Amino acid sequence: MKKTILFLIISCLPLLVKAQLERKPATDVQDVELIFHAPRHINLLTVEPLDKKTLQFAIMHTFGTLDGGIQNLYGLDNGANIQFSFEYALNDKFSLGAARQSRDKIYNLYGRYHILKQTQDNKMPFSLSLMGGAGVNTSNYSFLQESNPTFAERSSFAFQMMGARKFTDRISVQVSPMLAYFVDPNPIFLIEGDQNLYLALGFSGKYKISGKSSLTLQWIPNLNNNLRNNLGVGIDLEAGGHVFQMYFVTSQALNEQYLLAGGNGVPGEGFRIGFNVNRVFATGRRKSK
């Protein structure tokens, strides 16, 4: 009997050793998730990626200035600048988007590429993403019979680098060097600037106040012109698969080029009510775990 038990123990030793060797570490390196609630934070794009084969739909609104008072329902009677956008993730790092802003009937095509991802062990202390885009003004300028603008003259371009870090469970910050270029800024574009190239540095901040809501801040100081800087404050709310973003902002512009060149109001006097609705749809078949 003892020999039989000893034989069984010796026979099982290789299996026990193999199982021990194949055991994975208990703490795999994990990426930091939800640095921001959505791919957009007020107006600016963020480092927040989309999962592979998911489609994000966003509708954005900004209204008239608050200084019209109750007579104009604090800007809501003055009409809205509206932008629809769709962004599709080809993989976990790269996504393509298309947007249409009602001001100047601008159509934008853009892409986001996520280079680095912050990790929980801090070996990678921040996330880094790039965005590049191009737009065309499709407004009707047939009244300019002598000089109807060409496609090139209607074109504009944008580039943005996004570097972000989630410092704590509550606080996230992003810095975004930005540029916009208009082939021919005047007279067809409804912008305050009159130059071709615009440079700015965007700042985005999030302070989490509950599991599904955060206070938000956006500031975009201009670097090479005297246009007023863009300022926004608001709140993000997650509900039923949507992210609702409500805010006060000094610019009525919504796409990247116009955020830099469109001009901004004065806080308190030129603040506007704005809101975004974000929704993500899964389009691919998920693998069973």
Side-chain angles (χ1 to χ4, degrees), residues 212 238-244 278-281:
K212 298 291 184 180
E238 293 186 32
H242 296 74
V243 177
F244 297 95
N278 300 271
R279 176 66 165 148
V280 174
F281 302 91

Side-chain angles (χ1 to χ4, degrees), residues 38-40 45-56 86-98 109-115 129-133 162:
R40 281 194 183 272
L45 289 165
T46 72
V47 297
E48 199 61 37
L50 295 172
D51 292 333
K52 182 179 179 181
K53 294 185 178 180
T54 59
L55 176 70
Q56 190 246 359
F86 294 89
E87 185 175 347
Y88 182 75
L90 300 176
N91 53 51
D92 292 335
K93 287 186 174 291
F94 181 64
S95 55
L96 288 173
L109 295 177
Y110 64 92
R112 285 194 307 148
Y113 185 76
H114 307 285
I115 302 173
S129 302
L130 299 177
M131 184 282 294
M162 298 90 81

Side-chain angles (χ1 to χ4, degrees), residues 57 107 134:
F57 169 70
Y107 287 86

Side-chain angles (χ1 to χ4, degrees), residues 173-200:
V173 175
Q174 176 176 295
V175 179
S176 306
M178 307 170 64
L179 69 82
Y181 183 82
F182 291 79
V183 175
D184 186 4
N186 288 310
I188 65 171
F189 292 95
L190 292 176
I191 57 177
E192 288 188 11
D194 59 1
Q195 58 200 67
N196 297 95
L197 179 65
Y198 299 83
L199 303 175

Side-chain angles (χ1 to χ4, degrees), residues 25-40:
T27 56
D28 289 337
V29 176
Q30 298 291 329
D31 292 336
V32 172
E33 302 293 339
L34 293 177
I35 296 177
F36 291 95
H37 288 279
R40 281 194 183 272

Side-chain angles (χ1 to χ4, degrees), residues 63-75:
F63 296 89
T65 56
L66 299 176
D67 56 8
I70 190 64
Q71 179 68 26
N72 291 321
L73 201 57
Y74 298 100

